[in-house]
Amino acid sequence: MFKMEVNMAEIIDGKKVSKDIKDEVKEKVAALKEKGIDVTLAVIQVGNDPASTVYVGNKKKACEYTGIRSLAYEIPEETTEEELLKLVHSLNDREDVDGILVQLPLPAHIDEDKVIQAISPQKDVDGFHPVSMGALSMGQKGFVSCTPAGIIELLKRYNIDIDGKECVVIGRSNIVGKPVAMLLLRENGTVTVCHSHTADLKEVARRADILIVAIGKAKFVTADYVKEGAAVIDVGMDRDENGKLCGDVDFESVKEKACAITPVPGGVGPMTIAMLMNNCVYASMLKHK
Ligand code: GUN
């Protein structure tokens, strides 16, 4: 009988992998506790942007789950840059604090770069400090920002080989595009970074064996941007025309063509927090090695 072959991508389950990583972190945290070492993360939120409140709440929950002690600094919108810098410096000086995270975005009157640079590179669990970014670009040890680290972890745990592969990153932000490009390069991928000035984005994207999409435009990448059998990683967190949460990739059409794809929600999103927890343990180990 005639049998129609329908190609369907493997759906990458970020929620499951995130839980596995948090369980691994939990064990490491417990082992450190046995030696009398507490892992501590300080989280600063300035003002009460609703999205930031959700993210910070999720970070606190993940700390509780893994056994990491969390210190919450929820400070008013009117806080001055000087006051915030003073708080960061005081946390840098505290022996009992391993990681410092300042939730972004900050209110407009505060210079984000200045605040990020004030965090001690030894406590930079977000991996946003120029020292961390520099180390990453030179292939040296250091904190890797959490979303890019989570993307690599997903690829590895789904046995998607990066070595020698054509990797195309759409987006060049400091938080995702640039660091994920560096990580793919470190894994011996052949890496192209596309952005709003790229002449023929579709043509470049179609070369990818691994396509990473981080542009912040709902369902921008449709099936005609994707090579048959490519792995597609969607970093977007957007709303569609009905206000429903979706990614930068048109999941329904692309899943018919890709070999593997991350959904939104439940793909890259949960990985960010898992990798943050992992970075906190790394910070503690750096201090106690
Ligand atoms: N705002 C959105 N994502 C992040 C993140 O990963 N870290 C921080 N500090 N702020 C964010």
Side-chain angles (χ1 to χ4, degrees):
M1 207 176 89
F2 175 73
K3 185 166 161 266
M4 201 166 73
E5 287 285 340
V6 181
N7 177 36
M8 255 288 280
E10 180 169 25
I11 312 298
I12 296 177
D13 188 348
K15 228 170 145 176
K16 154 125 197 352
V17 178
S18 159
K19 163 112 182 6
D20 292 347
I21 291 171
K22 282 188 283 184
D23 285 334
E24 290 160 24
V25 168
K26 194 175 181 170
E27 279 181 25
K28 290 181 200 163
V29 171
L32 287 165
K33 209 162 248 168
E34 291 268 301
K35 295 188 197 164
I37 297 168
D38 257 328
V39 182
T40 301
L41 170 66
V43 179
I44 304 172
Q45 183 183 351
V46 186
N48 35 33
D49 170 67
S52 291
T53 301
V54 173
Y55 289 137
V56 167
N58 288 338
K59 287 169 189 176
K60 279 192 231 163
K61 266 190 241 161
C63 283
E64 273 167 38
Y65 183 83
T66 51
I68 292 175
R69 186 170 72 118
S70 73
L71 306 176
Y73 295 87
E74 279 137 26
I75 59 178
E77 181 86 18
E78 308 73 55
T79 303
T80 64
E81 185 179 282
E82 198 186 345
E83 287 166 327
L84 178 57
L85 289 171
K86 215 166 136 191
L87 173 58
V88 170
H89 288 137
S90 73
L91 294 167
N92 283 343
D93 291 340
R94 270 177 65 167
E95 261 302 304
D96 65 327
V97 171
D98 299 289
I100 302 169
L101 183 147
V102 180
Q103 187 65 28
L104 305 177
L106 288 170
H109 65 277
I110 299 177
D111 181 344
E112 267 178 20
D113 287 341
K114 216 163 159 181
V115 175
I116 289 168
Q117 285 179 40
I119 296 170
S120 159
Q122 277 76 42
K123 300 190 179 187
D124 177 36
V125 286
D126 251 332
F128 293 166
H129 194 285
V131 166
S132 304
M133 289 285 281
L136 173 63
S137 65
M138 296 170 82
Q140 295 170 2
K141 278 193 182 141
F143 289 102
V144 177
S145 57
C146 305
T147 303
I151 292 168
I152 300 298
E153 206 56 37
L154 281 179
L155 293 172
K156 287 191 171 169
R157 292 188 188 221
Y158 274 79
N159 296 315
I160 296 165
D161 200 17
I162 302 168
D163 199 314
K165 295 288 158 53
E166 286 283 347
C167 305
V168 174
V169 179
I170 309 182
R172 57 173 160 179
S173 71
N174 287 337
I175 293 181
V176 181
K178 280 180 210 158
V180 84
M182 295 298 180
L183 286 171
L184 291 163
L185 193 57
R186 192 162 90 178
E187 299 293 331
N188 300 319
T190 300
V191 184
T192 306
V193 182
C194 301
H195 44 77
S196 55
H197 291 233
T198 299
D200 192 347
L201 188 58
K202 200 179 280 185
E203 187 271 323
V204 181
R206 284 170 72 99
R207 292 185 215 150
D209 300 309
I210 298 172
L211 182 62
I212 315 276
V213 192
I215 38 170
K217 288 186 186 163
K219 300 185 183 180
F220 180 86
V221 167
T222 48
D224 48 344
Y225 282 74
V226 178
K227 179 167 85 177
E228 193 80 46
V232 180
I233 305 292
D234 187 351
V235 192
M237 272 283 208
D238 316 303
R239 298 271 166 193
D240 70 8
E241 58 283 5
N242 304 314
K244 204 173 146 235
L245 192 62
C246 71
D248 292 349
V249 174
D250 179 31
F251 184 82
E252 290 308 318
S253 71
V254 173
K255 79 173 194 296
E256 309 290 334
K257 212 166 175 190
C259 74
I261 185 168
T262 58
V264 177
V268 172
M271 293 299 292
T272 301
I273 290 181
M275 301 318 284
L276 172 66
M277 299 297 106
N278 202 47
N279 277 351
C280 292
V281 172
Y282 179 64
S284 168
M285 287 175 164
L286 270 185
K287 193 169 82 184
H288 293 100
K289 71 167 182 227

